[in-house]
Amino acid sequence: MQATPGFTLGIEEEYLLVDADALTVKEAPDGLLEKLQDDLQSQVSPEYLQCQIEVGTGVCRDIAEARDDLRRLRAAVAKRAAEFNLAPIAVSCHPSAEWNKQHHTNKDRYNDLRVEMAAAARRLLICGMHVHVGIDDDALRVDLMAQQCYFLPHLLALSTSSPFWQGNDTGLASYRLGVFDNLPRTGLPPHFDSFAEYERTTGVLIDAGIIEDTTKVWWDLRPSARFPTLETRICDMSPRLGHAIAIAALVQAITRMLWRLRSQNMRWRIYDRFLISENRWRAQRYGITEGLIDYGRGEVVPFGTLLDELLELVRPDAAVLGSMRELDVLREIVAGGTSATRQRSVREAVGSDDADAINRAVVSHLIEEFHADL
């Protein structure tokens, strides 16, 4: 009999650094990274751009442990950044920063990326959250990945936090995704019938020398190349810690729900990528405000209704995982809006078209949200 997966959790987040006075993005000085690495060791690292910092939790047994570790990481980054008159914001796009004025981090991986991807890489002034769920069985990871794709638009919709780009309202709830989709090997993963097929397919690019390994396969959902996990990568950053934890709890509960169905000789229907992509676009465009297509009903359903139904589906799993309280926070997101909605409300409250005033108001709001749960 197959062993029950651990469903452990790991969360990776990317933050933008802003000048505490000007509220514009600013590169991380060497001293900041040195102090953070003294504090957090391997749990902190530079990101592609010098104005970014990446953190990652340890392997967490449950959502409570993940919350404590992520809070510790966020607090450490905020404390050390303040020593350099900087502040971190947990958002997928700064409201007014210009990508063509940023400098990439001088590391071999990032130097190669800049050359290989040309202008597509230079526009990567974006941040995301990745959620790892521990499944120490390659075949099971690929099987659950095919089913879990259906829920990726739901996760994106809840996390949307990038409505602005270079001072303009894009009309999208997640502009980040549009920027990232310019790279190859992004978007929804293909369907694989087995882990062997996944290895054969990605191995074609590795053997041809196009990529060195599958860390350069950047699908919305993938078997992690470094850990025995299924890695969900579609989410925007969540400015509020509580919202980030709630979304991570949902990823974990969905994964366990699909495993539970499988253990009962049932499975979630696998829909064509064409159909899932339409919901992905709706989530990218509208967030939670216009609903997604329920393919069982064959119609657009309000997001609040879909969330209620999803939470009912995963209730037995949340009970085992101890994440009922965290999942209830998702209803707060539906009631109060995602970060994209809140940022637009701040912009409207400025009451003028003064670009500097709008930028300052939105970034100040994002700094406050970062500190709210610490």
Side-chain angles (χ1 to χ4, degrees), residues 39 57 69 107 138 156 276 330:
D39 295 339
T57 69
D69 201 16
K107 291 177 63 175
D138 290 338
L156 173 63
I276 299 174
L330 298 172

Side-chain angles (χ1 to χ4, degrees), residues 18-40:
V18 299
D19 184 284
D21 297 320
L23 303 182
T24 53
V25 293
K26 192 168 182 180
E27 296 177 358
D30 291 339
L32 171 59
L33 284 169
E34 290 170 3
K35 288 189 173 185
L36 281 172
Q37 287 171 340
D38 286 342
D39 295 339
L40 305 174

Side-chain angles (χ1 to χ4, degrees), residues 63-353:
I63 197 66
E65 189 175 324
R67 183 196 308 108
D68 290 346
D69 201 16
L70 192 58
R71 178 184 288 117
R72 179 180 64 88
L73 294 172
R74 284 193 176 207
V77 173
K79 177 184 176 182
R80 289 301 191 186
E83 296 174 10
F84 295 84
N85 200 41
L86 298 173
I89 54 175
V91 67
S92 281
C93 292
H94 185 280
S96 64
E98 297 176 84
W99 60 266
N100 57 351
K101 294 184 178 179
Q102 310 308 315
H103 299 99
H104 77 286
T105 300
N106 185 21
K107 291 177 63 175
D108 288 345
R109 179 179 176 85
Y110 297 142
N111 293 338
D112 292 345
L113 182 67
R114 184 175 177 84
V115 172
E116 291 170 12
M117 303 302 169
R122 293 195 289 273
R123 296 178 68 241
L124 290 178
L125 185 55
I126 55 174
C127 296
M129 177 179 79
H130 305 161
V131 180
H132 293 259
V133 177
I135 303 173
D136 195 10
D137 182 304
D138 290 338
L140 181 59
R141 284 197 287 166
V142 166
D143 185 45
L144 296 186
M145 180 173 74
Q147 299 173 66
Q148 194 163 321
C149 280
Y150 181 85
F151 301 99
L152 291 173
H154 302 68
L155 298 167
L156 173 63
L158 285 163
S159 69
T160 48
S161 71
S162 47
F164 303 128
W165 182 253
Q166 298 198 133
N168 297 307
D169 189 330
T170 66
L172 276 63
S174 174
Y175 191 73
R176 160 194 156 263
L177 208 62
V179 174
F180 196 64
D181 282 349
N182 282 305
L183 299 185
R185 304 181 295 279
T186 56
L188 296 170
H191 175 74
F192 300 106
D193 289 324
S194 66
F195 188 76
E197 183 184 5
Y198 162 75
E199 285 191 309
R200 284 196 302 272
T201 301
T202 55
V204 171
L205 299 189
I206 295 170
D207 293 343
I210 304 300
I211 57 177
E212 60 270 26
D213 54 43
T214 54
T215 62
K216 287 192 174 178
V217 174
W218 299 302
W219 298 323
D220 297 338
L221 180 66
R222 69 180 184 184
S224 172
R226 296 182 295 159
F227 310 111
T229 64
L230 193 54
E231 181 185 3
T232 298
R233 302 167 48 85
I234 198 170
C235 294
D236 269 10
M237 280 298 305
S238 292
R240 297 180 182 175
L241 173 66
H243 290 178
I245 291 299
I247 292 168
L250 181 59
V251 173
Q252 183 192 37
I254 290 171
T255 307
R256 191 187 188 281
M257 179 267 291
L258 295 173
W259 167 82
R260 174 169 53 85
L261 291 180
R262 187 179 188 272
S263 68
Q264 298 167 356
N265 289 322
M266 295 185 288
R267 60 191 296 110
W268 199 262
R269 180 176 176 181
I270 297 174
Y271 287 89
D272 191 273
R273 281 171 50 107
F274 171 75
L275 297 178
I276 299 174
S277 291
E278 189 64 25
N279 265 346
R280 185 181 187 268
W281 160 247
R282 292 186 63 83
Q284 180 183 355
R285 171 66 176 88
Y286 302 113
I288 62 175
T289 63
E290 295 294 327
L292 300 177
I293 306 166
D294 182 309
Y295 288 111
R297 294 183 175 97
E299 61 186 24
V300 174
V301 175
F303 192 87
T305 301
L306 294 176
L307 180 64
D308 286 342
E309 293 173 354
L310 179 54
L311 293 183
E312 191 59 33
L313 276 172
V314 303
R315 183 173 297 278
D317 308 283
V320 172
L321 296 168
S323 58
M324 297 286 289
R325 182 180 66 175
E326 285 75 17
L327 294 185
D328 283 341
V329 172
L330 298 172
R331 292 192 171 93
E332 296 178 13
I333 298 177
V334 173
T338 68
S339 176
T341 301
R342 297 194 302 276
Q343 289 178 57
R344 286 190 169 116
S345 295
V346 170
R347 177 176 181 144
E348 291 171 7
V350 172
S352 76
D353 293 328

